[in-house]
Amino acid sequence: MMKFMIKRSAMGSICMCHFILPLTIAVVATLGDNTAESYWLLKIKSELVDPLGALRNWSPTTHFCSWNGITCEVDQAHVVGLNLSGSGISGSIPGEFSHLIYLQALDLSSNNLTGSIPSELGQLQSLRTLLLYSNYLSSNIPGEIGSLSKLQILRLGDNSLAGEIPPSIGNLNDLTVLGVANCNLSGSIPVEVGNLKNLVSLDLQMNNLSGFIPKEIQGCQELQNFAASNNMLEGEIPSSMGSLISLRILNLANNTLSGSIPTSLSLLSNLTYLNLLGNKLNGEIPSELNSLSQLQKLDLSRNNLSGSLTLLSVNLQNLETMVLSDNALTGIPYNFCLRGSKLQQLFLARNKLSGRFPLGILNCSSIQQVDLSDNSFEGELPSNLDKLQNLTDLMLNNNSFIGSLPSSIGNISSLRSLFLFGNSFTGKIPVEIGRLKRLNTIYLYDNQMSGPIPRELTNCTSLTGIDFFGNHFYGPIPETIGKLKDLTVLHLRQNDLSGPIPPSMGYCKRLQLLALADNKLSGSIPPTFSYLSQLRTITLYNNSFQGPLPDSLSLLRNLKIINFSNNKFSGNIFPLTGSNSLTVLDLTNNSFSGSIPSILANSGDLTRLRLANNYLTGTIPSELGLLTKLNFLDLSFNNLSGHVPPQLSNCKKIEHLLLNNNRLSGQMLPWLGSLQELGELDLSFNNFHGRVPAELGGCSKLLKLSLHHNNLSGEIPLEIGNLTSLNVFNLQRNSLSGHIPSTIQQCSKLYELRLSENFLSGIIPVGLGAVTELQVILDLSRNLFSGEIPSSLGNLMKLERLDLSFNHLQGQVPPSLGQLTSLHVLNLSNNHLHGLIPSTFSGFPPSSFLNNDHLCGPPLALCSEATRMKLSNSQVAAIIVAIVLTSTVICLVLLYIMLRIWCNWKKVAVSSEDSGMVEQKTRNGEYWNMNSPELFSSPDIQISAAPCICNLKIDASARDNTLVR
């Protein structure tokens, strides 16, 4: 509304000014003032928006030299200065400024001006100062600026300009200050800058300038301040910069400059500030920089500098701050500091420094801050550490220091921060630490320290942060902890502390984080906790706390994170619902009872709600559907009943939904398919019925699906194949029927599949062998599967457990299963399998194969010949065909031989009759041909010596008949 009124006021002013301008000129003429400058000033006023009334007294009825912001010549003839800085004016800069030809200074900085810088300003030939910084100006810097030949100060910083720095800037021979920081400028630094012989300050920071620093910069011999940090400058620092002997400040931080630091910088004898951080400089730090006797602040951090530190504070006598962190430095000289050093801050974090604590630092008597963190220092701390009497901050974290803390540390009375975490310190906290009245932060976490927390620590009444996580401190929390009135962080997790929480802790009224988890604490929460009104995080998990929660906890309105899991708390959980700012509530594994409070829905930022393993009863509140940021809901292992409220379908960000081991009932939930972020769904051990929802196929991120031990029926939907990320699929102990869907092979990341104790039938799909990530178990037992075990299961090389028992499987155990070298549990019992067990299964117990038809071989009895020859149906059919064919061939051969014998016999008879030389021998009425050469020489008759063919019995009548023929 205010902006609208201002705009209407501005438009009204513009219209009114156009109406009264002729009248204004007449009035001004009557008063005898310089009508031209007055006219243009009023014209400028008409084009600006002035919500704060800075131009209110710009009126034709008064002399313009009395107007706000105007400076005139001594004789009040002309305007020479206009200062409207910080006046709140907006709109575009009027081009009419160009008519104020006597103007020497124009300051429109720190306003809300928009639009471009008018090129007409280039006509102000008398202008010496132009200040337009801190506005919302856009577009390019006009090249006409280069026409302002008398300009000395040009400051355009903190605008939204674009384009390059115009080369015409090099025409401003009198320019002493050029400030274009934070203007979104691009391109390179123009070489014409080298023409600015009188330039004292050049500020190019926070732009998008690229390219090299021009060597022509050496022409700026009067330059004292050169700041070009936070750009994209590249290449080496030009050695020509060493000729800028007037330079006091050099800031080239956060570019991509490379190469080594030029030794010529040591010639900058007036340099007080050198900042080259955040580049890609390499090599060693030149020892020549020791000659910079006026240097006060040096920052070479976040580069690739290496070698030993060659800078000595004894030479850099005025050096107060040395920042060399995030390099690859390897050593500190023993004579780093000598008497007279002014060094106050030394930062060497994240280098490659090693060895013992550098004793040379102990000679830096004026030093206040030492940061040697994230290096490889080792050994014990020096016992005379208290030589650093001015030390305020000691940061030795993330090294390999050992031993106990020296008691002399209690003599450094100025110490405020002590960061020793991430080392291997042992022993106790020295009681002398209680002398440090100014100590506000002590972080000792991730060490091997032990002993009790000394009561004397609570004498450090300035403490705001204590973190002793991950040590071996034991004993009680000091009863006097309540003396630390300013304490905001108390982190004592993962120690061996015991006993109750001291009631005085409730008097640490500024406490925001309280972490007492993973200890041996016991007792109940003291009622004084109601005073901790600023508490945001409280973690007490993995202790032995017990009893009901005090009702006064409901007064803690700022709580965000509560984790009381794995304790023995009892009673209801209502005292923890006083805050509407909860993001995490974890009460898992306690003995809470009663119902789930619907008021939890008031914490709209709740992301994790875990109430598992308690004795909660009643139904799941439908109001939980209002928790649209919820990603973890675990209500498992309780006594909840009723239906799952469909309002939970509004929790679209939920990733883990665990409702297992309750008494929930109703149809299986088709709306679950709308939870696209769902990664874990466990509804097992409930009383759900109906079909497995096909909609679950839409949960493409699902990793675990457990619906076992319910009353589900019907078939497994084909859409299960859409769950290509699924790792665990468990439907056992239901009443499912039908076949395993062939789409199961699309679940290629499955490593656990349990479908046992259902009524599934048909054959085991061959495609199951393509799920080669199966590892934990494949359990299809106690179903109605038939047919043979597919040999493709031999592809499951990672499988550890296979259970196909209690089905109707037939045929042999496929030899390919013998390839499952990872298998250590196998059960094929209670089927109709037969034949030889693969030899690689001989190590399994006999129970793995019992109650089949005719399985044999180790670990069962050895196979008999008959058992060995027991073949599959296809093999039997093949053998029968082979036998029939072979028998047919043999019969045909025998028939052929018999025919040959008959023919030969007939020849013998005819030949005997013709020769008349047959000798006959009669025996018992039988007549034999004894001399027929054909009979004895014929191979056919010799071959046919079988009894049924050779005994050719011929009686007398037969012979007579034969002779007659």
Side-chain angles (χ1 to χ4, degrees):
M1 185 64 180
M2 180 64 70
K3 290 183 178 180
F4 176 71
M5 293 176 66
I6 290 172
K7 288 182 179 179
R8 286 193 59 186
S9 174
M11 291 183 65
S13 300
I14 293 171
C15 295
M16 184 62 70
C17 285
H18 281 294
F19 176 74
I20 66 172
L21 273 176
L23 181 60
T24 299
I25 295 174
V27 172
V28 171
T30 303
L31 295 174
D33 286 339
N34 187 324
T35 57
E37 292 189 28
S38 179
Y39 170 81
W40 292 118
L41 286 170
L42 291 173
K43 186 76 166 66
I44 289 169
K45 174 184 177 181
S46 70
E47 296 187 19
L48 294 173
V49 179
D50 180 24
L52 303 180
L55 309 179
R56 187 181 297 112
N57 71 341
W58 285 29
S59 169
T61 60
T62 58
H63 194 281
F64 60 79
C65 289
S66 65
W67 294 355
N68 180 47
I70 298 233
T71 301
C72 290
E73 292 178 326
V74 176
D75 59 1
Q76 296 193 348
H78 301 290
V79 178
V80 294
L82 177 56
N83 185 354
L84 296 177
S85 176
S87 298
I89 58 175
S90 58
S92 298
I93 299 175
E96 286 78 2
F97 275 112
S98 62
H99 295 285
L100 304 176
I101 58 175
Y102 298 98
L103 198 62
Q104 298 177 18
L106 176 59
D107 187 353
L108 302 178
S109 62
S110 301
N111 282 292
N112 299 310
L113 297 170
T114 56
S116 60
I117 300 172
S119 59
E120 292 87 342
L121 294 183
Q123 300 174 24
L124 299 174
Q125 293 300 308
S126 299
L127 200 63
R128 290 174 170 78
T129 301
L130 178 58
L131 306 178
L132 303 179
Y133 62 87
S134 296
N135 278 286
Y136 298 95
L137 300 173
S138 57
S139 192
N140 297 344
I141 300 174
E144 288 78 0
I145 291 290
S147 301
L148 302 175
S149 58
K150 296 182 179 180
L151 196 63
Q152 298 174 358
I153 300 175
L154 176 60
R155 295 184 60 190
L156 308 177
D158 294 314
N159 278 289
S160 301
L161 304 175
E164 302 181 354
I165 300 172
S168 62
I169 211 84
N171 299 333
L172 305 178
N173 295 324
D174 293 337
L175 198 64
T176 59
V177 175
L178 175 58
V180 289
N182 194 26
C183 284
N184 198 35
L185 298 174
S186 58
S188 58
I189 302 173
V191 296
E192 289 80 3
V193 167
N195 299 333
L196 304 177
K197 307 299 183 184
N198 296 304
L199 195 63
V200 174
S201 176
L202 176 59
D203 190 355
L204 308 176
Q205 298 179 98
M206 293 181 288
N207 282 290
N208 297 312
L209 299 174
S210 58
F212 300 155
I213 299 173
K215 62 181 180 179
E216 288 80 2
I217 195 82
Q218 64 184 329
C220 304
Q221 287 297 302
E222 300 298 322
L223 195 61
Q224 297 180 17
N225 176 15
F226 179 31
S229 63
N230 297 91
N231 280 286
M232 295 183 288
L233 300 173
E234 57 186 345
E236 297 185 355
I237 300 172
S239 58
S240 60
M241 293 194 70
S243 64
L244 301 177
I245 57 175
S246 299
L247 203 61
R248 295 179 180 274
I249 297 174
L250 177 58
N251 186 356
L252 302 177
N254 295 319
N255 282 283
T256 55
L257 299 170
S258 58
S260 58
I261 299 173
T263 57
S264 61
L265 295 185
S266 62
L267 302 175
L268 304 177
S269 57
N270 292 305
L271 201 64
T272 61
Y273 180 90
L274 176 57
N275 190 348
L276 303 179
L277 82 87
N279 281 285
K280 297 181 179 179
L281 301 172
N282 53 40
E284 297 188 359
I285 301 173
S287 59
E288 289 84 354
L289 296 186
N290 280 306
S291 63
L292 299 176
S293 59
Q294 301 300 314
L295 195 63
Q296 296 176 7
K297 294 184 179 180
L298 172 66
D299 193 343
L300 305 179
S301 60
R302 288 171 46 206
N303 280 286
N304 298 315
L305 300 172
S306 59
S308 183
L309 179 60
T310 56
L311 299 179
L312 301 176
S313 63
V314 63
N315 295 329
L316 303 173
Q317 295 180 356
N318 290 298
L319 191 65
E320 297 175 355
T321 301
M322 182 185 291
V323 186
L324 303 176
S325 303
D326 297 285
N327 279 289
L329 300 175
T330 54
I332 301 175
Y334 71 94
N335 58 343
F336 176 70
C337 270
L338 295 176
R339 185 172 298 176
S341 168
K342 295 181 180 179
L343 191 64
Q344 298 178 8
Q345 297 170 311
L346 176 62
F347 298 100
L348 293 170
R350 293 172 295 282
N351 275 282
K352 295 183 179 180
L353 301 170
S354 59
R356 292 181 172 270
F357 183 93
L359 297 179
I361 293 177
L362 298 181
N363 296 322
C364 303
S365 57
S366 60
I367 203 160
Q368 297 177 6
Q369 295 176 303
V370 175
D371 187 356
L372 302 179
S373 62
D374 295 279
N375 280 287
S376 300
F377 288 112
E378 57 189 6
E380 298 185 3
L381 296 184
S383 59
N384 58 344
L385 199 60
D386 55 348
K387 288 181 65 175
L388 304 176
Q389 279 299 302
N390 294 305
L391 193 65
T392 60
D393 302 284
L394 180 60
M395 291 157 278
L396 304 178
N397 49 285
N398 296 324
N399 280 284
S400 299
F401 288 114
I402 60 173
S404 301
L405 302 186
S407 58
S408 61
I409 206 166
N411 299 326
I412 309 175
S413 58
S414 57
L415 198 62
R416 295 179 306 187
S417 300
L418 182 60
F419 293 164
L420 303 179
F421 59 88
N423 282 284
S424 298
F425 288 116
T426 56
K428 300 179 179 180
I429 299 174
V431 296
E432 290 82 1
I433 210 161
R435 301 173 187 167
L436 303 177
K437 304 299 183 183
R438 298 180 185 178
L439 190 66
N440 60 39
T441 305
I442 178 169
Y443 286 174
L444 304 179
Y445 63 86
D446 284 331
N447 278 287
Q448 302 297 323
M449 301 184 71
S450 58
I453 298 174
R455 183 188 183 96
E456 288 79 2
L457 182 64
T458 62
N459 294 331
C460 305
T461 53
S462 297
L463 274 171
T464 60
I466 297 175
D467 194 340
F468 294 167
F469 163 80
N471 281 281
H472 303 291
F473 294 117
Y474 55 80
I477 299 171
E479 293 181 358
T480 53
I481 193 76
K483 293 168 61 177
L484 304 178
K485 306 294 185 184
D486 295 325
L487 197 63
T488 59
V489 173
L490 179 58
H491 198 163
L492 304 178
R493 181 187 155 214
Q494 203 168 312
N495 281 281
D496 296 313
L497 299 173
S498 58
I501 298 175
S504 70
M505 189 179 291
Y507 301 119
C508 302
K509 296 183 179 180
R510 296 187 178 179
L511 201 60
Q512 297 180 20
L513 184 150
L514 176 60
L516 304 179
D518 295 305
N519 279 286
K520 300 175 182 178
L521 298 169
S522 58
S524 58
I525 296 177
T528 53
F529 267 37
S530 61
Y531 301 138
L532 303 178
S533 59
Q534 298 185 34
L535 196 62
R536 285 170 169 73
T537 299
I538 178 169
T539 57
L540 306 180
Y541 57 89
N542 293 339
N543 279 287
S544 297
F545 293 115
Q546 59 187 7
L549 303 175
D551 292 337
S552 55
L553 290 184
S554 61
L555 299 175
L556 305 182
R557 309 286 186 182
N558 293 306
L559 278 172
K560 292 181 178 294
I561 298 175
I562 301 174
N563 192 337
F564 288 0
S565 61
N566 297 302
N567 280 285
K568 301 175 183 177
F569 288 115
S570 58
N572 62 63
I573 64 178
F574 281 92
L576 300 177
T577 60
S579 172
N580 293 336
S581 304
L582 286 175
T583 60
V584 174
L585 177 60
D586 191 342
L587 307 179
T588 306
N589 290 328
N590 279 282
S591 297
F592 288 111
S593 57
S595 59
I596 299 173
S598 60
I599 195 174
L600 285 173
N602 293 340
S603 293
D605 291 330
L606 194 63
T607 60
R608 296 173 68 88
L609 178 59
R610 304 193 65 181
L611 306 177
N613 287 88
N614 282 285
Y615 299 103
L616 300 175
T617 56
T619 60
I620 300 174
S622 60
E623 290 83 356
L624 296 187
L626 299 173
L627 301 175
T628 55
K629 295 183 180 179
L630 199 64
N631 63 38
F632 203 124
L633 177 61
D634 186 358
L635 306 179
S636 60
F637 293 94
N638 280 286
N639 293 314
L640 300 172
S641 57
H643 293 189
V644 178
Q647 288 84 353
L648 288 182
S649 62
N650 297 324
C651 304
K652 300 298 185 185
K653 294 185 178 180
I654 201 161
E655 298 175 12
H656 305 268
L657 180 58
L658 310 178
L659 305 179
N660 52 291
N661 294 83
N662 280 285
R663 293 184 292 157
L664 300 170
S665 58
Q667 288 272 352
M668 188 49 68
L669 317 168
W671 50 262
L672 289 171
S674 66
L675 303 179
Q676 299 294 308
E677 300 300 316
L678 200 60
E680 181 180 14
L681 176 63
D682 194 341
L683 304 179
S684 60
F685 289 98
N686 280 288
N687 297 313
F688 293 112
H689 62 272
R691 294 177 173 270
V692 177
E695 291 83 354
L696 284 176
C699 301
S700 58
K701 297 182 180 180
L702 204 60
L703 300 176
K704 179 180 179 180
L705 177 58
S706 297
L707 305 179
H708 56 96
H709 290 81
N710 279 286
N711 297 313
L712 303 178
S713 59
E715 297 186 355
I716 301 173
L718 289 170
E719 289 78 3
I720 289 297
N722 297 335
L723 305 179
T724 54
S725 298
L726 199 63
N727 296 151
V728 176
F729 187 26
N730 192 341
L731 295 179
Q732 68 183 40
R733 259 307 173 89
N734 281 285
S735 300
L736 300 170
S737 58
H739 297 183
I740 297 176
S742 59
T743 55
I744 195 74
Q745 64 182 326
Q746 298 169 204
C747 303
S748 58
K749 296 182 180 179
L750 267 179
Y751 64 79
E752 180 176 340
L753 177 59
R754 299 174 187 261
L755 302 177
S756 63
E757 299 183 74
N758 282 284
F759 298 101
L760 299 172
S761 60
I763 62 171
I764 298 173
V766 174
L768 203 54
V771 188
T772 54
E773 293 299 313
L774 271 173
Q775 178 176 350
V776 176
I777 191 171
L778 172 59
D779 188 355
L780 305 180
S781 64
R782 298 182 184 274
N783 279 285
L784 303 173
F785 292 116
S786 58
E788 298 183 358
I789 300 173
S791 60
S792 62
L793 295 188
N795 298 329
L796 307 180
M797 303 301 294
K798 299 180 181 179
L799 193 62
E800 298 174 355
R801 290 185 288 173
L802 174 63
D803 192 347
L804 305 179
S805 63
F806 291 95
N807 280 287
H808 302 299
L809 299 173
Q810 303 169 348
Q812 290 187 315
V813 180
S816 61
L817 294 190
Q819 302 172 163
L820 303 180
T821 54
S822 298
L823 204 64
H824 57 79
V825 175
L826 173 66
N827 194 347
L828 303 179
S829 65
N830 295 279
N831 280 286
H832 301 295
L833 302 172
H834 60 77
L836 183 63
I837 297 173
S839 59
T840 52
F841 288 169
S842 60
F844 289 107
S847 58
S848 298
F849 308 98
L850 292 180
N851 297 322
N852 278 284
D853 286 354
H854 294 287
L855 281 179
C856 62
L860 301 181
L862 294 176
C863 297
S864 65
E865 280 306 312
T867 306
R868 286 179 186 273
M869 295 178 64
K870 183 132 180 117
L871 304 172
S872 66
N873 292 337
S874 58
Q875 291 173 317
V876 169
I879 291 173
I880 290 174
V881 170
I883 291 174
V884 170
L885 290 175
T886 304
S887 301
T888 302
V889 171
I890 291 173
C891 290
L892 291 174
V893 170
L894 291 175
L895 181 61
Y896 171 75
I897 291 173
M898 291 176 67
L899 289 173
R900 288 292 305 270
I901 291 174
W902 183 82
C903 291
N904 286 330
W905 177 82
K906 187 175 182 179
K907 285 182 180 179
V908 170
V910 174
S911 177
S912 297
E913 180 182 5
D914 291 340
S915 64
M917 296 175 62
V918 177
E919 181 183 348
Q920 297 179 353
K921 184 175 180 180
T922 303
R923 190 182 62 176
N924 298 327
E926 295 179 351
Y927 297 91
W928 294 82
N929 186 352
M930 302 295 293
N931 298 319
S932 174
E934 290 84 355
L935 179 64
F936 289 101
S937 63
S938 173
D940 294 331
I941 296 178
Q942 289 178 356
I943 291 173
S944 304
C948 61
I949 297 176
C950 293
N951 296 332
L952 302 178
K953 183 178 180 181
I954 305 174
D955 59 19
S957 61
R959 184 193 61 177
D960 293 339
N961 291 334
T962 302
L963 291 175
V964 172
R965 283 200 302 255

